[in-house]
Every structure is written in structure tokens, then in C-alpha cells.
Amino acid sequence: MSMETKVARDTAADLDAADPLRAFRHEFVCPEPETIYLDGNSLGRLPTATAGFLGQVVRDGWGAGLVRSWETWISWSRQLGDRLAAHTLGARPGEVVISDSTSVNLYKLATAALDARPGRRTIVADIDDFPTNRYILQGLAEQRGLRLVTLRSDPDQGLDLDVLRRALSDDVALVVLSLVSYRSGALLDMAAVNGAAERAGALVLWDLSHAAGVVPVRLGAAQADLAVGSTYKYLNGGPGSPAFLYVRKDLQRQLRQPIWGWFGQRDQFRMGEVYDPVGDIDRFLVGTPPLLSLAAIQPALEVIERVPISRLREKSVQLGAFAIELAGEWLTPHGFRLASPRDPARRGSHIALAHPEASRISRGLRSEKKVICDFRPPDRLRIGFAPLYTRFVDVWDGLDRLRALVESRGYEQLPVDMSRVT
């Protein structure tokens, strides 16, 4: 470790000592103290209570209760959705359910939204949005003979709202955007986007996967129409845990999703011959949820519900600013540049650092330095901050190890392998 630095490690330790959230790190499994985990924006850590809770569900619910346990389980998608709405999403009861994957939920809501705007032939999206979102929209446009307009956005700074406004017309049925860019962390103004789209008569479908649980989201106050999002990133629900979807209450009866399943049926257990969807948020459910994966969301919510999102946001901003300061001092001389908005008001809870060798550096960090972050094409090293368990010393040590790796050029022995992006 080089001693020539303006920011001493003691500074990070002092920030941790003063951190009001420091005790929450003990609510998560951290089995390798020497490993620095800066990838909670991809997969959150395991809450310490999850294994025991799942064991109870398996042992008592499945093992002893068998089918009788469905009386408890049947409403979990709605109950957990209401909790997520109240604490994390700024929505009302009956506007959020947890079901299926983010991609499936996006397909369901995008299809319903297009059906609700007959005669309009255009979908608008960000060309730099997460690939699955673009693929789903490409498929819908091809199947329906629609026009998909992909807006050019700055890969570091995100989408310019003026670019979006110019694309809106009376032919636009649906706008699909991510609140926080998966690549750069750029944060959009939800209320401004919603207002512009409403004036054009279009619906907006938000992907909140990189925002939920770390950025204050106020779906109700921002008059959002539709939203989907992951529960396994900052919400710590576990690998592949079911996603959430949101539909504003006054829109629910207007929209009919394309996958007609019995969990969305009125009088579900009457087993009616003809599909007749319920009039509320449950009409966006499809089939029996993966109960064990759904169950894992409950102990994760019990942790995050103890902290106001505004406090998580405050620490997230501090962690990001600390990392940017260190990167500017230590890494800029080695060819790195910040590939995220510098203004914290325009940034989510991860930053990207661009470097021509980012792919090999990412793999070298894992194998040689025990620092876990990730790579995103074409040249971005993505570093995430999960304020419930990421410490300032993690940021200091992680970037110090990154500096040591590039100074030694130890990554150069690794083959170039663009097929691996994690």
C-alpha cells in the first residue's frame, strides 16, 4: 500500500465509527472478512435471518403443514407487495404485487399499456437501457407492426430530458425507461419524465431495479403509471427472487395483461370456465408463485424496513463521493476516468470507472485482490455501494487494491475474454 495519499485510511475508519447504520452490517452474512464486496447492485448479501426463516417455511409449512399451509402462503405476493409499496416505493396499498421475473413483469405491463393506447404506433426507449428491456420491446414492436424509437443517451451522463421531449408525439403509446442506468448509475427525474409523457398522452413504464431500496422512489407523488423492479439487488431477496410490479390504482381496471392465469381470476377457486380478471392489482398475477423464493423476501424486508430510505440514500451518496475522490487521486493517473454523473443528485448508488482494460482488471481484482465488483461493456468497471453493509473502509481498501493491481500491471497476464462480463 502506497503511503502517498491525501486521504488516509483512518479517515474511512472515522466515517465508519460515526455511521448511524454501522450496526446493520451484522444483519448480513459476511463469511470472508478479507473479501471486499462492492457488487450489491448485482446481488445483495444474504440477511442473517433468511436461512432460519426459510428452514421454518420448509420444515413447518411444507413438511408439516403440506397443502394446509396455502391458507397462509396464498396472499404473500400481495402482502409483501404492500409492505414494499409503503416503505420503499412510495405507493399505496393495493398498487404493488410481487410475482414472476422483472422481464416477465415488464412484458406484461408493456403489452397492457400498448393495448390501452389503440391507434398509437410508437414505443420510446433508451438505447442504453438494460438489454432485456430492449429485447422485449423489439419483440413487441415486431409482433405488432409498431415502431420502436431508441433514444441516444450519453453513456456516462444518461438520457437528456430534452431528447425525450423531442421524441414525444401523439403517436407515442409507451415510454420505457430505467430510473437508474444499469451501466453508469445516471439517475433520471421521474416526475419530469411522467409529466412530459402525460402531456403527450403516453404511458410510462419504469424499471426500478437499480433504484429500489437505495434511492427514494415516490411513485404516487410523481404520478407514475407503471413500474417493475428486482428484489435481489439492494432489497437482498436472494438470487432470482421474484420481482415486483406497480400499477397506479386508477389504471388497474383499464389494463388487461396478456398472460391470463388463475391467480388473476375473479373467484379463483371456483375454477370458472371463462377468464374474468379481478378488478385490482391481483389481475397482474399469473400462476402459483415460487414460494421459497418469495418467502426469502420477507426477512430481507424486515431489515430494510427499519431504516428510512432517505438515510440509506444519504450514506449511499457519501460512499459514492468518497469513492470518486479516491479514484480521482489514485486511478486517474493510471488511465481511469469517471463514467458516471459527478453530481450526486443525478446518480444512483453505483459508479462506473472507464478503462481500456476494465474486463481484465475486473477479473484480476477477483482472483488476485479479493475485490468483487463487475465489468460492463465496452470498458466500464462498475462499483456498487449497498449502504446497509458497505463500509467506508471497504471503499478505501477496495480502491487501494485496485490501484495496486494497475500499478503492478498484474492483470496483463489474464487473457482478454469479452464473453465474461461479471
Side-chain angles (χ1 to χ4, degrees):
M1 180 184 71
S2 171
M3 299 304 294
E4 297 179 3
T5 174
K6 297 177 183 177
V7 183
R9 191 178 188 277
D10 288 347
T11 301
D14 290 342
L15 289 169
D16 286 328
D19 176 17
L21 303 181
R22 62 187 180 279
F24 281 91
R25 182 177 172 87
H26 302 294
E27 302 282 346
F28 295 88
V29 176
C30 302
E32 300 174 330
E34 71 282 4
T35 297
I36 297 171
Y37 191 65
L38 299 173
D39 206 11
N41 52 304
S42 291
L43 176 64
R45 283 191 180 273
L46 170 66
T48 56
T50 298
F53 182 74
L54 287 181
Q56 181 183 2
V57 171
V58 170
R59 182 181 60 253
D60 299 337
W62 180 11
L66 291 170
V67 75
R68 292 167 294 184
S69 297
W70 277 110
E71 295 177 11
T72 300
W73 296 338
I74 199 81
S75 60
W76 274 6
S77 290
R78 178 74 169 267
Q79 289 177 356
L80 294 174
D82 281 345
R83 288 171 62 177
L84 193 60
H87 179 267
T88 305
L89 301 179
R92 294 172 291 181
E95 291 187 322
V96 176
V97 288
I98 299 177
S99 70
D100 304 311
S101 68
T102 306
S103 299
V104 171
N105 285 338
L106 189 138
Y107 172 77
K108 292 189 295 187
L109 295 190
T111 301
L114 292 172
D115 288 341
R117 293 293 185 269
R120 293 185 174 226
R121 311 296 298 168
T122 301
I123 306 168
V124 172
D126 183 352
I127 199 169
D128 199 42
D129 204 353
F130 191 71
T132 288
N133 297 4
R134 290 185 282 107
Y135 302 157
I136 289 170
L137 298 177
Q138 288 167 9
L140 285 171
E142 181 175 321
Q143 292 160 15
R144 292 166 171 250
L146 304 179
R147 184 171 72 113
L148 174 62
V149 174
T150 51
L151 305 178
R152 293 286 171 180
S153 60
D154 188 291
D156 300 347
Q157 303 301 315
L159 180 65
D160 187 323
L161 289 182
D162 286 336
V163 172
L164 172 63
R165 292 187 184 102
R166 288 193 293 270
L168 293 172
S169 70
D170 59 7
D171 192 54
V172 175
L174 176 65
V175 177
V176 180
L177 296 171
S178 290
L179 184 57
V180 174
S181 167
Y182 85 100
R183 200 192 313 264
S184 69
L187 173 64
L188 285 172
D189 184 333
M190 175 182 282
V193 170
N194 290 342
E198 183 182 15
R199 288 187 290 274
L203 294 169
V204 180
L205 171 51
W206 289 99
D207 185 342
L208 305 179
S209 294
H210 286 275
V214 74
V215 171
V217 176
R218 301 178 179 90
L219 292 170
Q223 283 294 294
D225 302 317
L226 310 164
V228 298
S230 168
T231 61
Y232 56 78
K233 299 179 188 295
Y234 297 111
L235 294 174
N236 309 301
S241 56
F244 63 84
L245 66 82
Y246 157 89
V247 181
R248 197 176 67 230
K249 192 158 289 189
D250 63 287
L251 286 174
Q252 290 173 10
R253 286 184 176 272
Q254 300 176 36
L255 303 182
R256 179 172 289 199
Q257 61 119 336
I259 310 176
W260 296 2
W262 75 308
F263 265 62
Q265 171 78 343
R266 195 182 309 274
D267 296 325
Q268 178 184 10
F269 286 98
R270 290 186 64 183
M271 310 295 182
E273 294 182 7
V274 178
Y275 182 68
D276 179 22
V278 296
D280 58 22
I281 192 68
D282 286 354
R283 65 170 44 201
F284 300 96
L285 297 174
V286 179
T288 306
L291 254 299
L292 297 181
S293 295
L294 185 61
I297 297 173
Q298 179 162 314
L301 286 181
E302 288 174 354
V303 177
I304 200 169
E305 285 170 339
R306 289 157 51 195
V307 189
I309 296 297
S310 59
R311 183 166 289 180
L312 293 174
R313 174 63 172 165
E314 180 181 2
K315 182 180 175 184
S316 163
V317 166
Q318 293 172 344
L319 288 165
F322 190 57
I324 289 171
E325 179 183 4
L326 294 176
E329 180 184 346
W330 294 347
L331 301 176
T332 299
H334 297 290
F336 285 88
R337 66 172 182 83
L338 179 65
S340 298
R342 189 172 294 275
D343 179 359
R346 297 193 54 248
R347 190 179 68 241
S349 198
H350 68 270
I351 65 168
L353 300 175
H355 190 281
E357 292 282 6
S359 176
R360 290 201 288 182
I361 289 171
S362 175
R363 285 181 282 129
L365 277 173
R366 290 195 185 198
S367 62
E368 303 297 327
K369 300 296 184 181
K370 296 187 177 180
V371 177
I372 301 175
C373 52
D374 61 24
F375 165 73
R376 290 293 177 262
D379 59 357
R380 310 299 162 94
L381 191 67
R382 197 174 64 164
I383 301 171
F385 315 106
L388 283 172
Y389 52 78
T390 302
R391 300 171 300 182
F392 289 91
V393 292
D394 295 331
V395 174
W396 200 99
D397 289 343
L399 292 188
D400 185 50
R401 294 183 195 181
L402 171 55
R403 172 176 57 166
L405 179 70
V406 295
E407 285 179 350
S408 70
R409 309 183 77 87
Y411 60 87
E412 291 183 347
Q413 62 186 326
L414 298 171
V416 176
D417 182 5
M418 291 296 292
S419 68
R420 291 190 56 182
V421 298
T422 57

